[in-house]
Amino acid sequence: MCCWSVGLLQRELEAAGFSTITLTPVPDLTASVRVPRIAAIEYPLGRTLGRPCEAAEQTAVLEATLNALEIIRVPGEIIHLPFEWPEAPKEVHTSPPVDPPIARYLARNPWFLPRLLSRSVPG
Amino acid sequence: MPKTVDSFRFINGITKRMIKNWISMEKPRPIPWTPLTRPLSECTVALLSSAGIALKTDTPFDQEGERKNPWWGDPSFRILPKTATQDDVRVYHMHIDPSYAEQDLNCLFPLQRLQEMEASGRIGRMSPRHYSIMGYILNPDELLRETVPALIRNLKEDLADVVVLVPA
């Protein structure tokens, strides 16, 4: 899950001397690994900056992210960006064109689901 | 009322259960901190995506390895030049809908938007190189052991001050 692994990376880069911010659509997950700065956005996965070819919208999101980087002074702070996705959740499709391998594996081996939920990788 | 982002407005089913469980597994720990000591108009800025973006001319992220072992995800990273567009890259992450980034890479990796900010002086300079990992990683050992030190080395060579991370 990207919003988790990116959080781990962010911690490492910040510790190495870079000022970092994550623009995350799942702030609860990114914040859970304790990252220095978050710009939270309520957009679906796979389009974190906005819709294709909507340059002004994308610029507004990136500008708000940079602004959050400038104003956060307390490690772990989250700035909630005000943007609203123009479609209702039931109209939004975020699934990949083909189910990912783990989904097909769990369809055949459903008793392994708790291992995914607890991130205890077999083997 | 200022907005509070709902992490789960567009996520449901097993993914939502998984995320909630992963959150419950994390424990408090110190947060690293590098203060921004210069105005952004004097900083070099790099982007890092987790969408599994690679140049068409570069080695693809290892989808076949993940198909053979669905508990594994390719923990390596790819370098992308500041001028890359959707025509130059492929999106290898198998857990997201890549169609948005395939139409316009800026949906996930806003290189052109950052170029405009470099031109306008909002940021000092764009890093010459930008980076992508593929974020489906359940066991982060190799990511932390191999990828992180290499990324840090590259970012230092690039003289980057700021990294903007964009999960897919």
Side-chain angles (χ1 to χ4, degrees):
Chain A
M1 184 68 214
C2 284
C3 298
W4 180 78
S5 51
V6 165
L8 298 180
L9 268 186
Q10 185 185 359
R11 289 179 56 86
E12 299 291 329
L13 299 181
E14 185 88 13
F18 305 101
S19 301
T20 64
I21 188 160
T22 295
L23 171 66
T24 177
V26 194
D28 290 1
L29 181 59
T30 309
S32 74
V33 301
R34 271 70 183 177
V35 301
R37 299 175 200 79
I38 285 178
I41 189 158
E42 200 174 87
Y43 279 5
L45 300 175
R47 60 214 81 161
T48 316
L49 271 294
R51 295 176 293 176
C53 309
E54 296 287 346
E57 280 182 26
Q58 299 163 358
T59 296
V61 172
L62 185 58
E63 170 53 36
T65 304
L66 294 178
N67 187 47
L69 173 79
E70 292 173 308
I71 63 177
I72 290 175
R73 290 280 176 266
V74 180
E77 195 176 337
I78 302 173
I79 301 282
H80 292 262
L81 304 187
F83 305 103
E84 301 282 354
W85 188 257
E87 300 165 298
K90 62 176 179 1
E91 296 162 359
V92 169
H93 303 285
T94 55
S95 302
V98 177
D99 281 342
I102 191 70
R104 283 175 275 155
Y105 177 86
L106 291 174
R108 294 192 307 273
N109 307 280
W111 49 89
F112 273 108
L113 177 60
R115 305 287 292 255
L116 180 67
L117 298 182
S118 61
R119 220 172 52 240
S120 49
V121 176
Chain B
M1 268 274 285
K3 183 175 179 65
T4 301
V5 169
D6 175 0
S7 289
F8 300 103
R9 181 167 160 82
F10 298 105
I11 297 173
N12 48 39
I14 285 174
T15 308
K16 183 174 176 178
R17 271 177 73 193
M18 184 187 83
I19 291 172
K20 292 218 164 194
N21 209 55
W22 287 22
I23 290 169
S24 74
M25 289 160 59
E26 295 292 337
K27 301 201 170 40
R29 50 178 165 168
I31 301 175
W33 185 248
T34 299
L36 193 64
T37 52
R38 285 185 291 165
L40 268 180
S41 58
E42 296 172 19
C43 288
T44 297
V45 179
L47 291 180
L48 193 155
S49 166
S50 63
I53 303 166
L55 285 174
K56 287 174 178 168
T57 52
D58 201 349
T59 313
F61 281 91
D62 186 1
Q63 293 184 326
E64 203 42 49
E66 186 182 327
R67 288 191 194 100
K68 283 184 191 141
N69 175 8
W71 299 92
W72 179 85
D74 186 344
S76 62
F77 73 97
R78 299 291 179 277
I79 296 170
L80 298 147
K82 62 191 269 189
T83 53
T85 72
Q86 53 281 352
D87 299 329
D88 306 317
V89 303
R90 282 199 59 195
V91 179
Y92 290 97
H93 200 312
M94 291 192 279
H95 301 249
I96 60 166
D97 175 2
S99 61
Y100 289 79
E102 284 167 358
Q103 288 174 63
D104 178 2
L105 188 60
N106 296 291
C107 293
L108 278 176
F109 204 54
L111 288 171
Q112 280 172 299
R113 302 292 82 83
L114 201 59
Q115 280 178 34
E116 291 154 10
M117 290 183 180
E118 182 184 53
S120 72
R122 176 69 175 94
I123 63 165
R125 171 176 167 265
M126 251 178 116
S127 170
R129 299 186 290 187
H130 302 268
Y131 301 92
S132 182
I133 64 162
M134 193 288 293
Y136 175 73
I137 303 280
L138 298 179
N139 177 347
D141 289 352
E142 201 179 334
L143 180 77
L144 296 174
R145 197 179 59 239
E146 309 283 344
T147 298
V148 160
L151 273 174
I152 289 171
R153 233 175 4 252
N154 281 25
L155 287 163
K156 286 192 170 160
E157 286 170 12
D158 299 339
L159 303 177
D161 305 295
V162 165
V163 186
V164 177
L165 299 98
V166 185

